[in-house]
Amino acid sequence: MTTNNTQFVSKLPDIGVSIFSEMTLLANQYNALNLSQGFPEFDTPEYIKGRINHYIKEGMNQYAPSPGLPKLQNAIASLIKNNYQVDINPTQQVTVTSGATEALFVAIQTIVKPGDEVIVFDPAYDSYQPAVTLAGGKTVHIQLNYPRYRVDWQQVQQKITSRTRAIIINTPHNPTGTVLSSDDLAQLSKLVESHNLYLISDEVYEHITFETPHISALQIASLRERAFVIASFGKTYHCTGWKLGYCIAPPALSSEFRKIHQYVTFSSFTPAQAAIADMIEQHPEHVNTLSEFYQQKRDYLIGALNNSRFKILPCQGTYFLLLDYTAISNINDREFCNWLTKEHGVAAIPMSVFNQSNQCDNVIRLCFAKNSDTLKLAAEKLCQL
Ligand code: PMP
Ligand code: GLN
């Protein structure tokens, strides 16, 4: 059989290569400091590396059970109990996935039917919309506005229709660094309850918050009953390349989720699951020190940029800092990031790509999960502009 490319109808006609791949490629091409794609420059802890080596040598190299290794499911349930004082059933409610990306994709396929609407907040993480589109649904975008990027819940209420199936939230929020407050979650819970909606809560930066604490959807009973709460070990244990995450949902929703998960990937990398389970159990202090670790980096970068012409926006969580470059240039943020990478050796992410409307606030995102030397060098270059 031959395929005729000219007749091929794309299921994702508007999607190109992700901005993260694009900017990392450009950074490498121009030998620029890569503060664009979000990944730590430092390594995963030695303890985890030792454990994964141990399990590989021991022969733990075959499929894990599809929902996850029981020892990791148990460790996740105890992590949840310690952090959020909530009891979840590890066997029925925790599904280990190949990164948060898989969990988001599967959660969306689980609940979205053709014609359904899903509310997302722009700037929105790039994987939500394609997953909704592939499920036959439609994303309804609500723009968060410069410089505070807070949710107006009345506006959300107005966007809810009889076709609305779910709301996707991301707290702490990539790229704006905002964190939803208890008041935000109370308003959200009223809406999802009264309109009988599902919630997908992307909490991959749950352990990286600064002055404002993170509140999980798991901590609010009315949300917990209708939520898929999604997390990533990549962020928490500096191992984004291991692609390991999980989804917590009520038993009935988890069982639907697992029907799809088993045909997307069946199971995730077995030795990494065992190694992470040991890390959670043996080094519970790691998650408690993460915020302080990143706060030092955030504050260092803010201090080093003090004399620059960038306006620094507040950052309550995540490892991303937003900079407004209005005083430096009036070109759009994509052009600005290209120029910055090629001419000044610092790669960043333009924020408008996360807005369906392409609204450009003249804001770029820097990832500060980097060593001090890199942050220092990057700040020196940025201060010259
Ligand atoms: N959600 C958000 C908001 C993210 O920033 C990321 C990745 N950085 C993901 C999901 C995906 O996480 P993972 O790498 O575990 O697939
Ligand atoms: N989530 C990371 C970021 O925001 C990148 C993940 C990816 O490259 N897909 O930069």
Side-chain angles (χ1 to χ4, degrees):
M1 199 183 87
T2 56
T3 46
N4 182 345
N5 277 338
T6 56
Q7 281 172 7
F8 187 84
V9 179
S10 173
K11 296 179 85 171
L12 297 171
D14 301 326
I15 304 286
V17 172
S18 104
I19 191 69
F20 310 118
S21 308
E22 182 185 326
M23 291 313 299
T24 286
L25 199 70
L26 198 68
N28 293 341
Q29 211 179 332
Y30 284 83
N31 209 11
L33 298 168
N34 189 2
L35 272 57
S36 64
Q37 191 177 27
F39 62 88
E41 189 179 17
F42 27 86
D43 209 355
T44 194
E46 284 303 315
Y47 175 80
I48 306 192
K49 291 205 281 185
R51 293 317 285 163
I52 196 168
N53 280 331
H54 164 80
Y55 286 115
I56 288 173
K57 278 199 193 128
E58 218 185 40
M60 201 180 229
N61 297 306
Q62 309 308 330
Y63 296 127
S66 180
L69 277 187
K71 99 182 211 146
L72 182 56
Q73 291 175 301
N74 290 334
I76 291 167
S78 64
L79 191 66
I80 299 297
K81 177 78 178 168
N82 287 341
N83 287 326
Y84 304 129
Q85 296 76 51
V86 175
D87 288 302
I88 52 160
N89 181 314
T91 317
Q92 295 180 353
Q93 290 187 261
V94 179
T95 309
V96 177
T97 59
S98 298
T101 308
E102 193 230 335
L104 286 161
F105 187 82
V106 173
I108 289 167
Q109 304 313 309
T110 304
I111 52 177
V112 178
K113 298 199 186 72
D116 284 350
E117 293 177 358
V118 177
I119 292 178
V120 299
F121 298 99
D122 284 1
Y125 187 61
D126 68 342
S127 83
Y128 307 153
Q129 197 218 306
V132 172
T133 305
L134 289 173
K138 182 182 154 208
T139 42
V140 173
H141 295 254
I142 295 180
Q143 182 71 49
L144 305 178
N145 290 313
Y146 177 96
R148 292 183 67 243
Y149 299 105
R150 306 302 309 186
V151 178
D152 172 349
W153 294 103
Q154 231 168 356
Q155 194 189 359
V156 181
Q157 162 122 45
Q158 284 159 7
K159 290 277 186 181
I160 295 175
T161 71
S162 57
R163 291 183 300 277
T164 309
R165 182 85 164 154
I167 299 181
I168 303 181
I169 58 165
N170 171 214
T171 182
H173 186 257
N174 175 12
T176 66
T178 55
V179 170
L180 292 182
S181 66
S182 57
D183 183 55
D184 286 318
L185 291 169
Q187 305 216 48
L188 170 68
S189 116
K190 262 192 237 153
L191 290 180
V192 293
E193 225 177 340
S194 59
H195 295 275
N196 199 21
L197 308 177
Y198 292 108
L199 174 70
I200 295 178
S201 186
D202 178 347
E203 302 184 14
V204 300
Y205 300 100
E206 63 187 321
H207 301 298
I208 311 175
T209 56
F210 310 121
E211 293 77 14
T212 318
H214 169 68
I215 306 168
S216 172
L218 292 170
Q219 291 171 282
I220 293 154
S222 56
L223 291 180
R224 191 159 69 232
E225 283 162 17
R226 48 186 84 242
F228 296 81
V229 174
I230 289 164
S232 170
F233 293 120
K235 319 289 163 192
T236 304
Y237 295 114
H238 316 316
C239 54
T240 58
W242 288 15
K243 294 302 298 185
L244 205 62
Y246 57 91
C247 173
I248 296 174
L253 293 180
S254 286
S255 114
E256 290 300 318
F257 178 99
R258 288 173 185 180
K259 288 183 191 173
I260 299 178
H261 163 72
Q262 71 183 338
Y263 294 123
V264 170
T265 183
F266 187 76
S267 61
S268 302
F269 189 43
T270 312
Q273 293 195 46
I276 296 278
D278 288 349
M279 181 70 185
I280 295 172
E281 275 162 18
Q282 299 303 317
H283 289 282
E285 77 290 349
H286 177 89
V287 291
N288 301 328
T289 54
L290 209 55
S291 287
E292 196 190 321
F293 173 76
Y294 277 118
Q295 183 162 349
Q296 278 177 13
K297 295 197 176 292
R298 180 199 67 169
D299 293 347
Y300 177 82
L301 183 59
I302 290 175
L305 289 172
N306 233 347
N307 292 327
S308 77
R309 292 202 289 157
F310 288 99
K311 180 176 168 197
I312 300 163
L313 300 193
C315 164
Q316 300 176 305
T318 76
Y319 46 53
F320 302 115
L321 189 65
L322 296 186
L323 304 183
D324 172 341
Y325 63 82
T326 309
I328 297 169
S329 170
N330 58 9
I331 59 176
N332 72 43
D333 57 359
R334 241 182 198 279
E335 288 170 12
F336 189 84
C337 285
N338 281 333
W339 172 75
L340 201 60
T341 309
K342 292 179 186 173
E343 306 290 331
H344 297 280
V346 180
I349 295 284
M351 205 169 76
S352 66
V353 299
F354 302 114
N355 295 332
Q356 189 200 34
S357 65
N358 287 326
Q359 175 176 310
C360 176
D361 299 332
N362 289 1
V363 167
I364 61 169
R365 188 195 82 176
L366 293 185
C367 172
F368 57 80
K370 306 294 162 192
N371 295 324
S372 307
D373 288 352
T374 305
L375 295 177
K376 182 167 181 278
L377 217 57
E380 279 168 9
K381 289 173 187 285
L382 295 172
C383 282
Q384 283 166 12
L385 300 173

